[in-house]
């Protein structure tokens, strides 16, 4: 197998594992379909925006949760934003944490919220690392003269 | 890359004769704005985004104290998120439908929450459609077809062949 075929095989397998392990869902595929010659870095751009946004929201939530009296409505509003964004890019695990997170906000459960916040951080880090590997593979494929089709 | 203005427009086509449909997308979430923008650009539309209802009304010339002087403003579809701070998508819908100049523009409301009373409210309020987020390519294609019907003057030379 030549280098290009090997890389493409690696990419396909890696992508398949991300779906299988629930890191990304069908909405991520939609994003890839939106990427074309006129917007070759679309997925990377949106994903970067998402990670920035996620970090900001997490920091805000942490601040609110460390107050003497927690404003759970505010936390909930941030979780709602994060749930929406993660859903829009197909970040399935993060979205799922947000669903649990919302329940804890509604129950005004600080401990539960803090646990979810930790989980969001964890999932954020994992997804970031995974997508960085994905983009690196894609770049290598393009450098080797190949093209990157969206996964079916 | 930071866009400090409240609207951002994709570059419009050089040829004004065969005009691309113009979509106004309203959403307070930056990521959703990016995705919706791309969805419609890929469906060969020109897209303007606004981050909330107030900005959208300003763009349309419908804000309080504004005189609707945008005779040359052509918007063929408005797509708005339901949950936004300040003014909900429903409230925006009502304002648009109350306007003699803008009421003919189809307004689509999108939401991440599937709440029947909310959906009914929007449809009663004159929404063209109510869609659930996240939006997909198939949604944009479907909405694009709605725009093909002659509205606000229609399109000269619009190609009906798929």
């Amino acid at each position: 197998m030549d280098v290009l075929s090997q890389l493409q095989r690696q990419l396909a397998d890696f992508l398949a594992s991300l779906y299988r392990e629930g890191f990304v869902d069908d909405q991520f595929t939609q994003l890839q379909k939106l990427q074309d010659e006129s917007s070759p870095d679309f997925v990377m751009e949106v994903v970067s925006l998402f990670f920035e946004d996620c970090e900001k929201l997490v920091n805000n939530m942490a601040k609110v949760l460390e107050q003497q009296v927690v404003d759970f409505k505010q936390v909930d509003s941030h979780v709602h934003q994060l749930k929406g964004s993660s859903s829009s890019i197909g970040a399935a695990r993060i979205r799922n944490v947000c669903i649990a997170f919302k329940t804890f906000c509604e129950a005004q459960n600080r401990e539960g919220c803090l646990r979810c916040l930790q989980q969001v951080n964890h999932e954020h880090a994992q997804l970031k690392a995974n997508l960085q590997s994905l983009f690196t593979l894609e770049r290598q494929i393009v450098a080797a003269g190949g093209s990157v089709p969206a996964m079916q | 890359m930071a866009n400090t203005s409240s609207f951002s427009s994709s570059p419009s086509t050089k040829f004004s004769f065969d005009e691309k449909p113009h979509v106004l997308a309203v959403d307070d979430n930056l990521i959703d704005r990016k995705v919706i923008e791309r969805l419609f650009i890929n469906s060969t539309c020109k897209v303007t985004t606004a981050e909330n209802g107030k900005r959208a009304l300003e763009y349309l010339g419908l804000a309080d104290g504004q005189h609707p002087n945008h005779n040359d403003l052509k918007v063929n579809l408005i797509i708005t998120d339901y949950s936004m701070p300040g003014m909900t998508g429903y409230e925006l819908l009502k304002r648009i439908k109350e306007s003699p100049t803008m009421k003919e523009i189809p307004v689509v409301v999108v939401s991440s929450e599937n709440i029947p009373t909310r959906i009914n409210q929007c449809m009663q309020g004159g929404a063209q459609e109510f869609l659930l987020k996240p939006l997909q390519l198939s949604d944009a294609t479907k909405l694009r077809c709605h725009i093909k019907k002659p509205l606000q003057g229609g399109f000269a030379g619009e190609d009906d062949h798929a």
Side-chain angles (χ1 to χ4, degrees):
Chain A
M1 226 193 242
D2 61 285
V3 169
L4 182 57
S5 303
Q6 265 183 320
L7 285 172
Q8 284 170 328
R9 178 56 176 273
Q10 242 187 299
L11 178 68
D13 289 345
F14 186 62
L15 206 41
S17 74
L18 292 184
Y19 282 94
R20 205 169 42 239
E21 291 167 34
F23 284 104
V24 295
D25 64 21
D26 183 55
Q27 191 60 20
F28 187 72
T29 318
Q30 290 289 315
L31 282 195
Q32 290 181 306
K33 287 186 180 164
L34 289 175
Q35 183 164 290
D36 59 21
E37 313 81 47
S38 69
S39 63
D41 297 316
F42 175 68
V43 180
M44 195 153 48
E45 280 167 13
V46 177
V47 161
S48 301
L49 274 175
F50 170 74
F51 287 133
E52 266 172 43
D53 195 47
C54 184
E55 238 180 84
K56 204 173 60 182
L57 287 169
V58 164
N59 287 337
N60 289 342
M61 288 191 266
K63 286 202 185 85
V64 178
L65 284 166
E66 40 182 74
Q67 301 303 311
Q68 277 273 359
V69 180
V70 176
D71 183 352
F72 284 101
K73 274 208 160 65
Q74 231 202 334
V75 182
D76 183 81
S77 149
H78 290 319
V79 176
H80 182 81
Q81 285 288 313
L82 186 59
K83 181 163 163 262
S85 308
S86 53
S87 171
S88 293
I89 69 154
R93 284 199 185 185
I94 295 177
R95 191 200 69 232
N96 289 340
V97 176
C98 288
I99 293 171
F101 205 151
K102 263 190 157 265
T103 315
F104 285 119
C105 286
E106 280 152 27
Q108 310 218 336
N109 182 334
R110 190 211 288 250
E111 281 315 303
C113 284
L114 286 170
R115 272 200 309 273
C116 284
L117 198 59
Q118 235 183 342
Q119 250 189 303
V120 168
N121 269 333
H122 174 75
E123 293 300 342
H124 170 137
Q126 277 211 293
L127 184 63
K128 199 166 183 179
N130 279 331
L131 291 183
Q132 263 160 7
S133 302
L134 184 76
F135 296 140
T136 302
L137 266 173
E138 286 183 347
R139 270 199 301 275
Q140 287 174 327
I141 287 173
V142 170
S147 62
V148 188
M151 167 159 158
Q152 292 310 304
Chain B
M1 141 131 224
N3 182 6
T4 53
S5 71
S6 297
F7 332 119
S8 77
S9 283
S10 54
S12 57
T13 177
K14 280 186 277 192
F15 310 103
S16 56
F17 185 73
D18 272 7
E19 270 182 39
K20 289 181 183 178
H22 183 193
V23 178
L24 174 64
V26 191
D27 199 315
D28 61 314
N29 187 309
L30 173 62
I31 282 108
D32 286 345
R33 281 201 300 279
K34 280 265 161 236
V35 174
I36 290 182
E37 182 183 51
R38 193 79 243 153
L39 271 171
F40 281 100
I41 291 176
N42 276 26
S43 301
T44 64
C45 296
K46 173 182 148 174
V47 182
T48 300
T49 60
E51 64 188 4
N52 57 47
K54 180 160 172 274
R55 296 281 184 243
L57 288 176
E58 280 167 14
Y59 183 75
L60 295 168
L62 300 179
D64 296 327
Q66 264 185 319
H67 296 293
N69 59 357
H70 292 210
N71 294 320
D72 53 346
L73 177 70
K74 189 156 97 175
V75 172
N76 305 106
L77 176 71
I78 297 170
I79 180 157
T80 178
D81 189 23
Y82 183 92
S83 311
M84 294 188 291
M87 185 188 293
T88 64
Y90 173 70
E91 286 159 351
L92 176 61
L93 164 71
K94 294 296 281 173
R95 288 289 288 268
I96 292 165
K97 292 300 165 189
E98 282 161 14
S99 154
T101 48
M102 300 287 166
K103 66 180 180 185
E104 295 303 318
I105 305 175
V107 181
V108 173
V109 181
V110 300
S111 174
S112 55
E113 294 162 295
N114 189 351
I115 300 173
T117 48
R118 177 183 289 186
I119 299 173
N120 283 336
Q121 180 196 44
C122 291
M123 296 312 288
Q124 299 289 341
Q128 176 85 16
E129 265 205 74
F130 188 104
L131 295 175
L132 288 178
K133 277 172 151 181
L135 287 186
Q136 305 198 319
L137 261 171
S138 53
D139 294 316
T141 313
K142 187 170 67 170
L143 293 178
R144 175 77 172 72
C145 291
H146 282 316
I147 309 174
K148 276 193 164 195
K149 300 194 197 94
L151 289 160
Q152 293 282 87
F155 302 99
E158 180 70 85
D159 185 2
D160 264 30
H161 304 123

